[in-house]
Amino acid sequence: MVACAEMVLVWNTAMNLCSLPLGGKLAGLPLPQWRSMALASALGAGATLMCAPLGLLSLPCAVLWCFHDHGLPACLRCTLMTLCASFLTGGAMNACLSGGMAAASAGFFTLALSMAVYLLLNLLPQALCDVRQVELRVEERSIILPAMLDSGNLLRDPITNLPVLVIPARAARTLFPDLGDPSSLAELPLGFRLLSVRTAAGSALLPMFRPDECRIYVNGRACKAQLLAAVAGQEYRGVQALVPMAALPA
């Protein structure tokens, strides 16, 4: 009986160690510290062994322990994703410990679902990131813009290979009061250069500059980013900054 309890404790700890980083990744959060994750997994496994409802209550506590730095909304999202990840890893564990054709079917289903999750994590690693604002500073002038994560923005500076943020012309005029028509080369301030881009409307040259400082607010946290900013043409009438996925922190 004691050996069985120890086996259940080990399996539950291992399942928690798989579920917490997978749930965080699906919620768009970075990997937590291994020490915090191991402690939360062991405590959650012990709580599950003592009482099933207590084990269920330990899930949001473990998520809050590992991801509290990212804010309450991110923790709530991560709790839901970790619960789904727990169902996935729990099914894999039952398939390993059970026998018969039902276990084989569950094993194949778990393998297929695991491959789908693996492809999701590698193809869309930042798909669930919440990007709302971007802050740019040039000398003593700064501006905060509403932002949108644009997976189609693949622009990079050919010299520095840094990703390129796209901002509306009205925002550029706040940072550069002397900026006239961005499409006029003669009116561009010093420090600007041109970036050749290809859009649905055709090819174009966008003026581009490097801000002194850039902060992207990801999941409610301000993260410094190394990038350049291109000024959109007059055809872009939006107010949002188009953030490339390559500019997000790892």
Side-chain angles (χ1 to χ4, degrees):
M1 184 69 179
V2 176
C4 181
E6 292 177 349
M7 182 64 68
V8 171
L9 182 63
V10 171
W11 274 104
N12 283 337
T13 302
M15 187 176 67
N16 292 340
L17 280 173
C18 295
S19 301
L20 282 171
L22 179 58
K25 191 70 173 180
L26 289 172
L29 301 178
L31 189 69
Q33 294 183 356
W34 282 105
R35 182 177 299 178
S36 300
M37 190 167 57
L39 180 60
S41 300
L43 292 178
T48 304
L49 188 62
M50 293 174 57
C51 178
L54 186 60
L56 186 61
L57 182 62
S58 69
L59 175 63
C61 295
V63 172
L64 189 62
W65 177 269
C66 295
F67 300 98
H68 62 276
D69 291 338
H70 303 282
L72 183 58
C75 287
L76 293 176
R77 184 172 69 250
C78 184
T79 300
L80 177 61
M81 293 301 175
T82 305
L83 180 62
C84 297
S86 298
F87 291 150
L88 174 63
T89 53
M93 183 184 71
N94 290 332
C96 293
L97 297 180
S98 303
M101 294 300 295
S105 300
F108 282 119
F109 174 76
T110 302
L111 178 62
L113 190 57
S114 301
M115 290 298 296
V117 171
Y118 174 80
L119 292 176
L120 174 66
L121 295 181
N122 285 272
L123 295 178
L124 298 175
Q126 305 291 346
L128 297 178
C129 280
D130 185 18
V131 178
R132 295 293 182 88
Q133 291 180 322
V134 168
E135 182 179 1
L136 298 175
R137 182 181 64 83
V138 176
E139 295 180 350
E140 72 279 0
R141 294 179 293 273
S142 63
I143 186 173
I144 296 180
L145 297 172
M148 178 181 67
L149 187 62
D150 185 8
S151 60
N153 182 1
L154 305 177
L155 298 177
R156 282 188 178 272
D157 176 32
I159 299 178
T160 62
N161 199 37
L162 291 176
V164 178
L165 173 78
V166 179
I167 64 174
R170 67 187 74 178
R173 292 191 181 95
T174 302
L175 297 173
F176 299 93
D178 298 334
L179 180 64
D181 184 5
S183 61
S184 175
L185 300 181
E187 298 183 15
L188 291 180
L190 293 176
F192 274 77
R193 47 194 173 91
L194 298 180
L195 176 68
S196 177
V197 301
R198 185 182 299 274
T199 64
S203 300
L205 292 175
L206 296 184
M208 179 178 62
F209 66 95
R210 184 165 186 173
D212 295 332
E213 186 178 17
C214 175
R215 293 179 182 271
I216 302 177
Y217 289 82
V218 182
N219 296 322
R221 297 182 63 194
C223 304
K224 287 187 177 182
Q226 295 293 327
L227 49 74
L228 284 86
V231 183
Q234 298 297 330
E235 67 276 3
Y236 179 64
R237 302 186 182 278
V239 297
Q240 291 179 316
L242 305 181
V243 180
M245 297 185 69
L248 297 181

